[in-house]
Coordinates of all heavy atoms in Angstrom, one line a residue:
F1017 N 67.6 -46.2 -54.0 CA 66.4 -45.8 -54.7 C 66.7 -44.7 -55.7 O 67.7 -44.0 -55.6 CB 65.4 -45.2 -53.7 CG 65.9 -43.9 -53.0 CD1 65.6 -42.7 -53.6 CD2 66.6 -43.9 -51.9 CE1 66.0 -41.5 -53.0 CE2 67.1 -42.7 -51.3 CZ 66.8 -41.5 -51.9
D1018 N 65.8 -44.6 -56.7 CA 65.7 -43.4 -57.6 C 64.3 -42.8 -57.3 O 63.3 -43.6 -57.5 CB 65.9 -43.8 -59.0 CG 66.0 -42.6 -60.0 OD1 65.2 -41.7 -59.8 OD2 66.8 -42.7 -60.9
P1019 N 64.2 -41.6 -57.0 CA 62.9 -41.0 -56.7 C 61.9 -41.1 -57.9 O 60.7 -41.0 -57.7 CB 63.2 -39.5 -56.4 CG 64.7 -39.5 -56.0 CD 65.3 -40.6 -56.8
W1025 N 59.3 -46.5 -54.9 CA 58.6 -45.7 -53.9 C 57.7 -46.6 -53.0 O 57.7 -46.5 -51.8 CB 57.7 -44.7 -54.6 CG 56.8 -43.9 -53.7 CD1 55.4 -43.9 -53.8 CD2 57.1 -43.0 -52.7 NE1 54.9 -43.1 -52.8 CE2 55.9 -42.5 -52.1 CE3 58.4 -42.6 -52.1 CZ2 55.9 -41.6 -51.1 CZ3 58.3 -41.7 -51.0 CH2 57.1 -41.2 -50.5
S1028 N 59.7 -48.7 -50.7 CA 60.2 -47.9 -49.6 C 59.2 -47.6 -48.5 O 59.5 -47.6 -47.3 CB 60.8 -46.5 -50.1 OG 59.7 -45.6 -50.5
R1029 N 57.9 -47.5 -48.9 CA 56.9 -47.3 -47.9 C 56.6 -48.6 -47.2 O 56.3 -48.5 -46.0 CB 55.6 -46.8 -48.6 CG 55.7 -45.5 -49.4 CD 56.3 -44.4 -48.6 NE 57.7 -44.3 -48.8 CZ 58.5 -43.4 -48.2 NH1 57.9 -42.5 -47.3 NH2 59.8 -43.3 -48.4
W1044 N 69.2 -44.9 -46.1 CA 68.8 -44.6 -47.5 C 70.0 -44.2 -48.3 O 70.9 -43.4 -47.9 CB 67.8 -43.4 -47.4 CG 66.6 -43.7 -46.6 CD1 66.4 -43.3 -45.3 CD2 65.5 -44.5 -47.0 NE1 65.2 -43.8 -44.9 CE2 64.6 -44.5 -45.9 CE3 65.1 -45.2 -48.2 CZ2 63.4 -45.2 -45.9 CZ3 63.9 -45.8 -48.2 CH2 63.1 -45.8 -47.1
V1046 N 71.2 -43.2 -52.7 CA 70.7 -42.9 -54.0 C 71.4 -43.8 -55.1 O 72.5 -44.1 -55.0 CB 71.1 -41.4 -54.4 CG1 70.6 -41.1 -55.8 CG2 70.6 -40.5 -53.4
G1076 N 67.6 -34.7 -62.6 CA 67.4 -33.6 -61.6 C 67.2 -34.1 -60.2 O 67.9 -33.7 -59.2
P1077 N 66.2 -35.0 -60.0 CA 65.9 -35.5 -58.6 C 67.1 -36.1 -57.9 O 67.4 -35.8 -56.7 CB 64.8 -36.4 -58.8 CG 64.1 -36.0 -60.0 CD 65.2 -35.6 -60.9
V1078 N 67.8 -37.0 -58.6 CA 68.9 -37.7 -57.9 C 70.1 -36.7 -57.6 O 70.8 -36.9 -56.6 CB 69.4 -38.9 -58.7 CG1 68.4 -40.1 -58.6 CG2 69.8 -38.6 -60.1
R1079 N 70.3 -35.8 -58.5 CA 71.3 -34.8 -58.3 C 71.0 -33.9 -57.1 O 71.9 -33.6 -56.3 CB 71.5 -33.9 -59.5 CG 72.3 -34.6 -60.6 CD 72.4 -33.7 -61.9 NE 73.5 -34.2 -62.7 CZ 73.6 -33.8 -64.0 NH1 72.8 -32.9 -64.5 NH2 74.6 -34.2 -64.7
V1080 N 69.7 -33.6 -56.9 CA 69.3 -32.8 -55.7 C 69.5 -33.6 -54.5 O 70.0 -33.0 -53.4 CB 67.9 -32.2 -55.9 CG1 67.4 -31.6 -54.6 CG2 67.8 -31.2 -57.0
V1081 N 69.1 -34.8 -54.5 CA 69.2 -35.7 -53.3 C 70.7 -35.9 -52.9 O 71.1 -35.7 -51.7 CB 68.5 -37.0 -53.4 CG1 68.8 -37.9 -52.2 CG2 67.1 -36.9 -53.7
I1082 N 71.5 -36.1 -53.9 CA 73.0 -36.4 -53.5 C 73.6 -35.1 -53.1 O 74.5 -35.1 -52.2 CB 73.7 -37.0 -54.7 CG1 75.0 -37.7 -54.2 CG2 74.1 -36.0 -55.8 CD1 74.7 -39.0 -53.6
A1083 N 73.2 -33.9 -53.6 CA 73.7 -32.6 -53.1 C 73.3 -32.4 -51.7 O 74.1 -31.9 -50.9 CB 73.2 -31.5 -54.0
A1084 N 72.0 -32.7 -51.4 CA 71.5 -32.5 -50.0 C 72.3 -33.4 -49.1 O 72.7 -33.0 -48.0 CB 70.0 -32.9 -50.0
Q1085 N 72.6 -34.6 -49.5 CA 73.4 -35.5 -48.6 C 74.8 -35.0 -48.4 O 75.3 -35.0 -47.3 CB 73.5 -36.9 -49.3 CG 74.2 -37.9 -48.5 CD 74.4 -39.3 -49.2 OE1 74.6 -39.3 -50.4 NE2 74.3 -40.4 -48.5
Q1086 N 75.4 -34.6 -49.5 CA 76.8 -34.1 -49.3 C 76.9 -32.8 -48.5 O 77.9 -32.6 -47.7 CB 77.4 -33.8 -50.7 CG 77.5 -35.0 -51.6 CD 78.5 -36.0 -51.0 OE1 79.6 -35.7 -50.6 NE2 78.0 -37.3 -50.9
H1088 N 74.4 -31.6 -46.3 CA 73.6 -31.6 -45.0 C 73.6 -32.9 -44.3 O 72.9 -33.0 -43.2 CB 72.2 -31.1 -45.3 CG 72.1 -29.7 -45.9 ND1 72.3 -28.6 -45.1 CD2 72.0 -29.3 -47.2 CE1 72.2 -27.5 -45.9 NE2 72.0 -28.0 -47.2
G1089 N 74.2 -33.9 -44.8 CA 74.4 -35.2 -44.1 C 73.4 -36.3 -44.5 O 72.4 -36.0 -45.1
D1090 N 73.8 -37.5 -44.1 CA 73.0 -38.7 -44.5 C 71.6 -38.6 -43.9 O 70.7 -39.2 -44.5 CB 73.7 -40.0 -43.9 CG 75.0 -40.3 -44.6 OD1 75.3 -39.7 -45.7 OD2 75.8 -41.1 -44.0
E1091 N 71.4 -38.0 -42.8 CA 70.1 -38.0 -42.1 C 69.0 -37.3 -42.9 O 67.8 -37.5 -42.7 CB 70.2 -37.4 -40.7 CG 70.6 -35.9 -40.7 CD 72.1 -35.7 -40.7 OE1 72.8 -36.6 -41.0 OE2 72.5 -34.5 -40.5
V1092 N 69.4 -36.5 -43.9 CA 68.3 -35.8 -44.7 C 67.8 -36.6 -45.9 O 66.8 -36.2 -46.5 CB 68.8 -34.4 -45.2 CG1 69.3 -33.6 -44.0 CG2 69.9 -34.5 -46.3
V1093 N 68.5 -37.7 -46.2 CA 68.2 -38.4 -47.5 C 66.8 -39.0 -47.4 O 66.0 -38.8 -48.3 CB 69.3 -39.5 -47.7 CG1 68.9 -40.3 -49.0 CG2 70.6 -38.8 -47.9
G1094 N 66.5 -39.7 -46.3 CA 65.2 -40.4 -46.2 C 64.1 -39.3 -46.2 O 63.0 -39.5 -46.8
K1095 N 64.3 -38.3 -45.5 CA 63.3 -37.2 -45.3 C 63.0 -36.6 -46.7 O 61.8 -36.3 -47.1 CB 63.8 -36.1 -44.3 CG 62.8 -35.0 -44.1 CD 63.4 -33.9 -43.2 CE 63.9 -34.4 -41.9 NZ 64.4 -33.3 -41.0
L1096 N 64.1 -36.3 -47.5 CA 63.9 -35.7 -48.8 C 63.2 -36.7 -49.7 O 62.4 -36.3 -50.6 CB 65.2 -35.1 -49.3 CG 65.1 -34.5 -50.7 CD1 64.1 -33.3 -50.7 CD2 66.5 -33.9 -51.1
Y1097 N 63.6 -37.9 -49.7 CA 63.0 -38.9 -50.5 C 61.5 -39.0 -50.3 O 60.7 -39.1 -51.2 CB 63.7 -40.3 -50.3 CG 63.1 -41.4 -51.1 CD1 62.6 -41.2 -52.4 CD2 63.1 -42.7 -50.6 CE1 62.1 -42.3 -53.2 CE2 62.6 -43.8 -51.4 CZ 62.1 -43.5 -52.6 OH 61.6 -44.6 -53.4
T1098 N 61.1 -39.0 -49.0 CA 59.7 -39.0 -48.7 C 59.0 -37.8 -49.3 O 57.9 -37.9 -49.8 CB 59.5 -39.1 -47.2 OG1 59.9 -40.4 -46.7 CG2 58.0 -38.9 -46.8
A1099 N 59.6 -36.6 -49.1 CA 58.9 -35.4 -49.7 C 58.8 -35.5 -51.2 O 57.8 -35.1 -51.7 CB 59.8 -34.2 -49.2
L1100 N 59.9 -35.9 -51.9 CA 59.8 -36.0 -53.3 C 58.8 -37.1 -53.8 O 58.0 -36.8 -54.7 CB 61.2 -36.4 -53.9 CG 62.3 -35.4 -53.8 CD1 63.7 -36.0 -54.0 CD2 62.0 -34.3 -54.8
G1101 N 58.9 -38.3 -53.2 CA 58.0 -39.3 -53.6 C 56.5 -39.0 -53.3 O 55.6 -39.3 -54.1
T1102 N 56.2 -38.3 -52.2 CA 54.9 -37.9 -51.9 C 54.3 -37.0 -53.0 O 53.2 -37.2 -53.5 CB 54.8 -37.3 -50.6 OG1 55.2 -38.2 -49.6 CG2 53.4 -36.8 -50.2
R1103 N 55.1 -36.1 -53.5 CA 54.7 -35.2 -54.5 C 54.7 -35.8 -55.9 O 53.7 -35.7 -56.7 CB 55.6 -33.9 -54.5 CG 55.3 -33.0 -53.3 CD 56.0 -31.7 -53.3 NE 55.6 -30.8 -52.3 CZ 54.5 -30.0 -52.3 NH1 53.8 -30.0 -53.4 NH2 54.2 -29.3 -51.3
F1104 N 55.7 -36.5 -56.2 CA 55.8 -37.2 -57.5 C 54.7 -38.2 -57.8 O 54.1 -38.2 -58.8 CB 57.1 -37.9 -57.7 CG 58.4 -37.0 -57.9 CD1 59.6 -37.6 -57.9 CD2 58.3 -35.6 -57.9 CE1 60.8 -36.8 -58.0 CE2 59.4 -34.8 -58.1 CZ 60.6 -35.4 -58.1
H1105 N 54.5 -39.0 -56.8 CA 53.6 -40.2 -56.9 C 52.3 -40.1 -56.3 O 51.2 -40.1 -56.9 CB 54.4 -41.4 -56.4 CG 55.7 -41.6 -57.0 ND1 55.9 -41.8 -58.4 CD2 57.0 -41.6 -56.5 CE1 57.2 -41.9 -58.6 NE2 57.9 -41.8 -57.5
A1115 N 57.8 -29.4 -58.4 CA 57.6 -30.4 -57.4 C 58.9 -30.6 -56.5 O 58.8 -30.8 -55.3 CB 57.2 -31.7 -58.0
I1116 N 60.1 -30.6 -57.2 CA 61.3 -30.7 -56.5 C 61.5 -29.6 -55.5 O 61.9 -29.8 -54.3 CB 62.5 -30.8 -57.4 CG1 62.4 -32.1 -58.3 CG2 63.8 -30.9 -56.7 CD1 63.4 -32.1 -59.5
A1117 N 61.3 -28.4 -55.9 CA 61.4 -27.2 -55.1 C 60.5 -27.3 -53.9 O 60.9 -27.0 -52.8 CB 61.1 -25.9 -55.9
A1118 N 59.2 -27.7 -54.1 CA 58.3 -27.8 -53.0 C 58.7 -28.9 -52.0 O 58.5 -28.8 -50.8 CB 56.9 -28.1 -53.6
A1119 N 59.2 -30.0 -52.6 CA 59.7 -31.1 -51.7 C 60.9 -30.6 -50.8 O 60.9 -31.0 -49.6 CB 60.1 -32.3 -52.5
L1120 N 61.7 -29.8 -51.3 CA 62.8 -29.3 -50.5 C 62.2 -28.5 -49.3 O 62.7 -28.6 -48.2 CB 63.7 -28.4 -51.3 CG 64.7 -29.1 -52.3 CD1 65.3 -28.1 -53.3 CD2 65.8 -29.9 -51.6
A1121 N 61.2 -27.7 -49.6 CA 60.6 -26.9 -48.5 C 59.9 -27.9 -47.5 O 60.0 -27.7 -46.3 CB 59.5 -25.9 -49.1
D1122 N 59.2 -28.9 -48.0 CA 58.6 -29.9 -47.2 C 59.6 -30.5 -46.2 O 59.3 -30.8 -45.1 CB 57.9 -31.0 -48.0 CG 56.7 -30.4 -48.8 OD1 56.2 -29.3 -48.5 OD2 56.4 -31.1 -49.8
A1123 N 60.8 -30.8 -46.7 CA 61.8 -31.5 -45.9 C 62.6 -30.5 -45.1 O 63.6 -30.9 -44.4 CB 62.8 -32.2 -46.9
G1124 N 62.3 -29.2 -45.2 CA 63.0 -28.2 -44.4 C 64.5 -28.0 -44.8 O 65.3 -27.6 -44.0
L1125 N 64.7 -28.1 -46.1 CA 66.0 -28.0 -46.7 C 66.1 -26.7 -47.5 O 65.1 -26.1 -48.0 CB 66.4 -29.1 -47.6 CG 66.6 -30.4 -46.8 CD1 66.6 -31.6 -47.8 CD2 68.0 -30.4 -46.1
P1126 N 67.3 -26.1 -47.7 CA 67.5 -24.8 -48.4 C 66.9 -24.9 -49.8 O 67.1 -25.8 -50.5 CB 69.0 -24.6 -48.3 CG 69.5 -25.4 -47.2 CD 68.6 -26.6 -47.1
A1127 N 66.3 -23.8 -50.2 CA 65.7 -23.7 -51.5 C 66.7 -23.8 -52.6 O 66.4 -24.3 -53.7 CB 64.8 -22.5 -51.6
L1129 N 69.1 -25.6 -53.1 CA 69.5 -27.0 -53.5 C 68.9 -27.3 -54.9 O 69.4 -28.2 -55.6 CB 69.1 -28.0 -52.5 CG 69.9 -28.1 -51.2 CD1 69.3 -29.0 -50.2 CD2 71.3 -28.6 -51.6
I1130 N 67.8 -26.7 -55.3 CA 67.2 -26.9 -56.6 C 68.2 -26.6 -57.7 O 68.1 -27.2 -58.8 CB 65.9 -26.1 -56.8 CG1 65.1 -26.5 -58.0 CG2 66.2 -24.6 -56.8 CD1 64.6 -27.9 -58.0
Y1132 N 71.1 -27.6 -58.0 CA 71.9 -28.7 -58.4 C 71.3 -29.7 -59.3 O 71.9 -30.6 -59.8 CB 72.3 -29.4 -57.1 CG 73.3 -28.7 -56.3 CD1 72.9 -27.8 -55.2 CD2 74.7 -28.7 -56.6 CE1 73.8 -27.1 -54.5 CE2 75.6 -28.0 -55.8 CZ 75.2 -27.2 -54.8 OH 76.1 -26.4 -54.1

Side-chain angles (χ1 to χ4, degrees):
F1017 66 90
D1018 186 320
W1025 172 245
S1028 74
R1029 300 310 92 181
W1044 305 98
V1046 183
V1078 289
R1079 280 175 164 169
V1080 170
V1081 176
I1082 203 73
Q1085 180 186 39
Q1086 295 299 309
H1088 300 281
D1090 293 342
E1091 64 274 11
V1092 306
V1093 177
K1095 184 187 301 185
L1096 180 54
Y1097 180 32
T1098 289
L1100 289 166
T1102 299
R1103 288 187 173 273
F1104 290 174
H1105 306 300
I1116 297 171
L1120 287 168
D1122 294 341
L1125 289 165
L1129 283 170
I1130 189 66
Y1132 289 95

